[in-house]
Amino acid sequence: MKPSTSFLHTLLGACALAAPLAGLCAPPSTTAQIERGRYLVTIGGCNDCHTPGYGASGGKVPEKEWLTGDTLGYRGPWGTTYATNLRRLVAGMNEPQWLAMAQHQPMRPPMPWPALRAMSAQDLRAVYQLIRWLGPQGDAAPPYLPPGQAPQGPVVVFPAPPGT
């Protein structure tokens, strides 16, 4: 049975009326999420550790080089940690895995994990979208070294807290 012309006109008219309302229920656009993620990564200081040379250059590292991890170590009573290559890390994760990691995974200094945990899920999703948009690039950062193991490259040394 072939639909009538009046039925098709009615259907098309209903779709035309509903189309402007569709945006009210839609999730934020990917472009808006990426822009929000860029803003959060910038003001949150993520590049300070996760982008080589960012601080020394006054933030003048091209965006295509952001968040690729670093070989500069951070040494203290906890051992030596390195800023992860977030672009390689996120390439192997879906959004729920990213949220679970950011909100619950234990992290070592100097990662400002209290600030990360204070971010809303919406903000963490925006950061995820930016990192995914940047795409995987660069090499993995060196692995964590426990206390007593000497790092091979340059390190920032943190003193032990008073009273320890």
Side-chain angles (χ1 to χ4, degrees), residues 6 12 25-26 59 65 72 88 96 114 131 153:
S6 64
L12 289 173
C25 301
E65 297 172 21
L72 175 65
R88 287 176 53 116
I131 298 169

Side-chain angles (χ1 to χ4, degrees), residues 57-107:
S57 72
K60 292 181 175 47
V61 173
E63 187 176 83
K64 67 181 181 175
E65 297 172 21
W66 284 12
L67 308 175
T68 57
D70 204 343
T71 57
L72 175 65
Y74 298 90
R75 189 172 190 189
W78 64 85
T80 304
T81 50
Y82 297 87
T84 302
N85 180 331
L86 295 174
R87 292 170 63 171
R88 287 176 53 116
L89 176 71
V90 167
M93 299 178 124
N94 61 34
E95 194 172 86
Q97 291 169 326
W98 163 258
L99 289 172
M101 183 205 69
Q103 294 170 331
H104 304 292
Q105 181 175 321
M107 297 180 188

Side-chain angles (χ1 to χ4, degrees), residues 17-29:
L17 290 173
L21 299 175
L24 297 176
C25 301
S29 75

